[in-house]
Amino acid sequence: MSEPTEMRNLIMIGDKLAHTARALGVLPRAMVTSQIPLIEDFFPGIDHLECTRCIMTTKRRILHTAAKRGGIQKILLEKDTATSDYWCGLNPSEMESELTSDGYEVSVVDFSQGIHHGIRDTGRVLERDKLAERLVRHYDAQLEEVNALLPLGDKKRVAPFVGFMHPMTYENFLIPQACDSFLNQKVMEPLGLDNALDGLGPLDELPPAEMMQRLTQTEPEVIVITGNAQAGLMAIRDATDADPAFREVPAVKNHAIYALPACSGGEPADYPQILGAWAHALGHKERGTI
C-alpha cells in the first residue's frame, strides 16, 4: 500500500478509525485512542489528547480545548457495537449529536459491520475509496495465506506479555496477556497455542521479575514479549539473577524468547500481518509473502 501521507486538520476518536485512516495515508492533527499499545510509536508528532473513555465521560473539555487551539472544526467518530469482532466496550459515535450541537462538523465511520465495511467507510469519509478497496483486497489475500498455515502443527505453551518502558524514568512494566485477552483469543487460539499464564492467578500487581518467576510453575516452552521487548528482556534477566530455578524454565533454557507484534482490537487492518508474524516465528520455517 503506497500513497502519499497527508495530515488533515481534524480530530479522530477511536483506535480502529485512526489506525485504518493511517493505512489509507491520512493522519489527524489530534487523536483520541485507548487500545493500541505504544500508540505514540505509530503516530509520532500527532497530538494524543486522552484515552477514549476519559474524553467520552469526564474530560470532554480537553477535546474542546484542543479543537479551539488548533482551529479544528471537523471531528471523525468511530462507531462500534458489542457484536463487532473488535469491540472494545466503547462507541465514540454516541457523542455525535452533542458534538454537532456544539458546532463541529461530525462524520461517523462505521466499524460495527465488520472490518471490510469499516475500511470502505473510512475510505468514503476520507475520499480515498479506491485505496480502501485495495486495502480490503490486500487484507483478504494476507489472511488467506496465513489461514493456510493454521493451526500450527506443534502445540506449544506460550507465556505472552506486553512490555512498556517509562520514557523518563526508564522503569519497566509488563502486562500479562491472559486467556481472556484479545491477543489470546485472536492470535494464540487460532494458532493452536496454549496460554502458559492460565492457572497462575493474578499477576498484574507483581513487579516484572516476580511475574516472570511465576513461570517456574507452568514451565512455558516459549516466552513472547510484545510492545517494548526490552522491558521483558530486563525482567527475564532480573528473574534469572534472583532465582536459579528460573533458568530451568524451558523457554529460558532453550532461548525460546521472542519479540512479536502486539494485537489489539484497535488495529484490525494489520491483523493478518500480525497473525502471520506469529505463525512464521512459532511454527513454520518457510516464509511466504506475508
Side-chain angles (χ1 to χ4, degrees):
M1 305 295 296
S2 59
E3 187 79 10
T5 300
E6 171 190 359
M7 179 176 282
R8 300 187 187 178
N9 199 38
L10 52 81
I11 297 174
M12 294 183 184
I13 303 180
D15 296 71
K16 292 182 282 293
L17 165 60
H19 200 267
T20 303
R22 174 179 174 269
L24 297 178
V26 177
L27 298 175
R29 185 69 60 183
M31 59 192 292
V32 178
T33 59
S34 57
Q35 290 183 272
I36 303 173
L38 306 179
I39 185 69
E40 293 83 2
D41 293 346
F42 286 102
F43 295 87
I46 307 300
D47 193 3
H48 298 264
L49 302 182
E50 251 293 354
C51 76
T52 308
R53 188 177 301 278
C54 291
I55 290 295
M56 291 183 66
T57 54
T58 61
K59 298 184 178 180
R60 186 86 93 251
R61 182 179 297 275
I62 293 176
L63 176 64
H64 297 312
T65 299
K68 183 177 180 180
R69 184 177 63 241
I72 299 171
Q73 291 297 317
K74 188 172 182 62
I75 298 177
L76 305 188
L77 300 175
E78 175 186 302
K79 179 182 178 181
D80 205 0
T81 65
T83 58
S84 167
D85 286 340
Y86 298 93
W87 170 242
C88 69
L90 298 171
N91 179 19
S93 69
E94 294 174 359
M95 297 186 288
E96 180 183 8
S97 296
E98 176 191 327
L99 294 177
T100 299
S101 297
D102 289 337
Y104 296 105
E105 179 186 348
V106 180
S107 295
V108 172
V109 180
D110 186 4
F111 281 86
S112 68
Q113 301 180 52
I115 179 59
H116 294 81
H117 187 278
I119 292 173
R120 291 185 173 110
D121 212 32
T122 305
R124 174 188 62 81
V125 170
L126 299 178
E127 298 180 332
R128 294 208 167 186
D129 303 81
K130 291 183 179 179
L131 189 58
E133 288 300 328
R134 286 171 52 197
L135 181 57
V136 167
R137 292 195 298 270
H138 183 65
Y139 175 97
D140 287 342
Q142 280 191 309
L143 192 57
E144 182 179 1
E145 183 177 351
V146 177
N147 283 335
L149 306 176
L150 307 185
L152 303 184
D154 186 10
K155 194 174 184 70
K156 296 182 176 71
R157 295 188 308 282
V158 178
F161 300 90
V162 180
F164 296 90
M165 182 179 291
H166 193 285
M168 301 300 292
T169 67
Y170 300 105
E171 184 179 2
N172 297 310
F173 302 91
L174 287 181
I175 298 179
Q177 299 295 283
C179 290
D180 61 349
S181 67
F182 192 92
L183 175 68
N184 189 88
Q185 295 173 359
K186 295 295 185 180
V187 175
M188 292 181 59
E189 288 183 6
L191 294 178
L193 302 171
D194 288 333
N195 194 320
L197 303 183
D198 188 25
L200 290 181
L203 298 175
D204 303 76
E205 302 300 322
L206 294 177
E210 292 184 30
M211 196 181 297
M212 284 291 175
Q213 288 171 348
R214 289 285 184 91
L215 299 182
T216 57
Q217 299 176 30
T218 56
E219 298 192 324
E221 297 159 291
V222 176
I223 295 173
V224 173
I225 311 296
T226 70
N228 188 317
Q230 184 64 20
L233 294 176
M234 295 182 73
I236 291 170
R237 178 203 63 186
D238 293 343
T240 302
D241 291 344
D243 182 6
F246 185 71
R247 300 174 187 268
E248 299 304 314
V249 171
V252 179
K253 187 175 182 178
N254 299 321
H255 308 290
I257 300 166
Y258 294 83
L260 290 172
C263 186
S264 74
E267 45 203 327
D270 283 355
Y271 175 67
Q273 182 179 352
I274 293 168
L275 190 64
W278 278 69
H280 284 292
L282 300 184
H284 290 267
K285 301 297 182 183
E286 297 180 4
R287 296 189 62 84
T289 59
I290 299 167

Coordinates of all heavy atoms in Angstrom, one line a residue, residues 54-85:
C54 N -12.0 8.6 28.8 CA -12.0 9.8 29.5 C -12.6 10.9 28.7 O -13.4 11.8 29.3 CB -10.5 10.2 29.8 SG -9.7 9.1 31.0
I55 N -12.4 11.0 27.4 CA -13.0 12.0 26.6 C -14.5 11.9 26.5 O -15.3 12.8 26.5 CB -12.4 12.0 25.1 CG1 -10.9 12.5 25.2 CG2 -13.2 12.8 24.2 CD1 -10.8 13.9 25.6
M56 N -15.0 10.6 26.5 CA -16.4 10.3 26.4 C -17.1 10.6 27.8 O -18.3 10.8 27.8 CB -16.6 8.9 26.0 CG -16.3 8.6 24.6 SD -16.7 6.9 24.1 CE -18.5 6.9 24.2
T57 N -16.4 10.7 28.9 CA -17.0 10.9 30.2 C -16.6 12.2 30.9 O -17.3 13.2 30.7 CB -16.7 9.7 31.1 OG1 -15.3 9.5 31.2 CG2 -17.4 8.4 30.5
T58 N -15.5 12.2 31.6 CA -15.2 13.3 32.5 C -14.3 14.3 31.9 O -14.1 15.4 32.5 CB -14.5 12.7 33.7 OG1 -13.3 12.0 33.4 CG2 -15.4 11.7 34.5
K59 N -13.7 14.1 30.7 CA -12.7 15.1 30.2 C -13.0 15.6 28.8 O -12.1 15.8 28.0 CB -11.3 14.4 30.2 CG -10.8 14.0 31.6 CD -9.4 13.4 31.6 CE -8.9 13.1 33.0 NZ -7.6 12.6 33.1
R60 N -14.3 15.9 28.6 CA -14.7 16.4 27.3 C -14.0 17.8 27.0 O -13.8 18.1 25.9 CB -16.2 16.5 27.2 CG -16.7 16.9 25.9 CD -16.9 15.7 25.0 NE -18.3 15.3 25.1 CZ -18.7 14.1 25.7 NH1 -17.7 13.3 26.2 NH2 -19.9 13.7 25.7
R61 N -13.8 18.5 28.1 CA -13.2 19.8 27.9 C -11.8 19.8 27.2 O -11.5 20.7 26.4 CB -13.0 20.5 29.3 CG -12.4 21.9 29.2 CD -12.3 22.5 30.6 NE -13.6 22.7 31.2 CZ -14.4 23.7 31.1 NH1 -14.0 24.7 30.3 NH2 -15.6 23.8 31.7
I62 N -11.1 18.7 27.4 CA -9.8 18.5 26.7 C -10.0 18.5 25.2 O -9.2 19.1 24.4 CB -9.1 17.2 27.2 CG1 -8.7 17.4 28.6 CG2 -7.9 16.9 26.3 CD1 -8.1 16.1 29.2
L63 N -11.1 17.9 24.7 CA -11.4 17.8 23.3 C -11.7 19.2 22.8 O -11.2 19.6 21.7 CB -12.6 16.9 23.1 CG -13.1 16.8 21.7 CD1 -12.1 16.2 20.7 CD2 -14.4 16.0 21.6
H64 N -12.5 20.0 23.5 CA -12.9 21.3 23.1 C -11.7 22.3 23.1 O -11.5 23.1 22.2 CB -14.0 21.9 24.0 CG -15.3 21.1 23.9 ND1 -15.9 20.7 22.7 CD2 -16.1 20.6 24.9 CE1 -17.0 20.1 23.0 NE2 -17.1 20.0 24.3
T65 N -10.8 22.1 24.1 CA -9.6 23.0 24.1 C -8.7 22.7 23.0 O -8.2 23.6 22.4 CB -8.9 22.7 25.5 OG1 -9.8 23.1 26.6 CG2 -7.7 23.6 25.6
A66 N -8.5 21.4 22.7 CA -7.6 21.1 21.5 C -8.2 21.6 20.2 O -7.5 22.1 19.4 CB -7.4 19.6 21.5
A67 N -9.5 21.4 20.0 CA -10.1 21.9 18.8 C -10.0 23.4 18.7 O -9.7 23.9 17.6 CB -11.6 21.5 18.8
K68 N -10.2 24.1 19.7 CA -10.1 25.6 19.7 C -8.7 26.0 19.4 O -8.4 26.9 18.6 CB -10.6 26.2 21.0 CG -10.6 27.7 21.0 CD -11.2 28.2 22.4 CE -11.2 29.7 22.4 NZ -11.7 30.3 23.7
R69 N -7.7 25.4 20.1 CA -6.3 25.7 19.9 C -5.8 25.5 18.5 O -5.1 26.3 18.0 CB -5.5 24.9 20.9 CG -4.0 25.3 20.9 CD -3.2 24.5 22.0 NE -3.3 23.0 21.7 CZ -3.8 22.2 22.5 NH1 -4.4 22.5 23.7 NH2 -3.8 20.9 22.2
G70 N -6.3 24.4 17.9 CA -5.9 24.1 16.5 C -6.8 24.6 15.4 O -6.5 24.4 14.3
G71 N -7.8 25.3 15.8 CA -8.7 25.8 14.8 C -9.4 24.7 14.1 O -9.6 24.7 12.8
I72 N -9.8 23.6 14.8 CA -10.3 22.4 14.2 C -11.8 22.4 14.3 O -12.4 22.6 15.4 CB -9.7 21.2 14.9 CG1 -8.2 21.1 14.7 CG2 -10.4 19.9 14.3 CD1 -7.5 20.0 15.6
Q73 N -12.5 22.2 13.2 CA -13.9 22.2 13.1 C -14.5 20.8 12.8 O -15.6 20.5 13.1 CB -14.5 23.2 12.1 CG -14.3 24.6 12.5 CD -15.0 25.0 13.7 OE1 -16.2 24.6 13.9 NE2 -14.4 25.7 14.6
K74 N -13.6 19.9 12.3 CA -14.1 18.6 11.8 C -13.6 17.5 12.8 O -12.5 17.4 13.2 CB -13.6 18.3 10.4 CG -14.2 17.0 9.8 CD -13.8 16.9 8.4 CE -14.4 15.6 7.7 NZ -15.9 15.7 7.7
I75 N -14.6 16.7 13.2 CA -14.3 15.5 14.1 C -14.8 14.3 13.5 O -16.0 14.2 13.1 CB -14.9 15.8 15.5 CG1 -14.3 17.0 16.2 CG2 -14.7 14.5 16.4 CD1 -14.9 17.3 17.5
L76 N -14.0 13.2 13.4 CA -14.5 11.9 13.0 C -14.6 11.0 14.2 O -13.7 10.9 15.0 CB -13.4 11.3 12.0 CG -13.0 12.1 10.8 CD1 -12.2 11.3 9.8 CD2 -14.3 12.7 10.1
L77 N -15.7 10.3 14.2 CA -16.1 9.4 15.3 C -16.2 8.0 14.8 O -16.8 7.7 13.8 CB -17.4 9.8 16.0 CG -17.5 11.2 16.5 CD1 -18.9 11.5 17.0 CD2 -16.5 11.4 17.7
E78 N -15.6 7.0 15.6 CA -15.7 5.6 15.3 C -17.0 5.1 15.8 O -17.4 5.4 17.0 CB -14.5 4.9 15.9 CG -14.6 3.4 15.8 CD -13.4 2.7 16.5 OE1 -12.3 3.1 16.2 OE2 -13.7 2.0 17.5
K79 N -17.8 4.3 15.0 CA -19.0 3.6 15.5 C -18.6 2.2 15.7 O -18.1 1.5 14.9 CB -20.1 3.8 14.5 CG -21.4 3.1 14.9 CD -22.5 3.2 13.9 CE -23.7 2.4 14.3 NZ -24.8 2.5 13.3
D80 N -19.0 1.6 16.9 CA -18.8 0.2 17.2 C -19.9 -0.3 18.0 O -20.7 0.5 18.6 CB -17.5 0.1 17.9 CG -16.8 -1.3 17.7 OD1 -17.4 -2.1 17.0 OD2 -15.7 -1.5 18.3
T81 N -20.1 -1.6 18.1 CA -21.1 -2.2 18.9 C -20.6 -3.5 19.5 O -19.5 -4.0 19.1 CB -22.4 -2.6 18.0 OG1 -22.0 -3.6 17.1 CG2 -22.9 -1.4 17.3
A82 N -21.3 -4.0 20.5 CA -20.9 -5.2 21.2 C -20.8 -6.4 20.3 O -20.2 -7.4 20.7 CB -21.8 -5.5 22.4
T83 N -21.5 -6.4 19.2 CA -21.4 -7.5 18.2 C -20.2 -7.5 17.3 O -20.0 -8.4 16.5 CB -22.7 -7.6 17.4 OG1 -22.8 -6.4 16.7 CG2 -23.9 -7.7 18.3
S84 N -19.4 -6.5 17.4 CA -18.3 -6.4 16.5 C -17.2 -7.3 16.9 O -17.0 -7.6 18.1 CB -17.7 -4.9 16.5 OG -16.5 -4.9 15.9
D85 N -16.4 -7.8 15.9 CA -15.3 -8.7 16.2 C -14.2 -8.0 17.0 O -13.4 -8.6 17.7 CB -14.7 -9.2 14.9 CG -15.5 -10.3 14.3 OD1 -16.4 -10.9 15.0 OD2 -15.4 -10.5 13.1

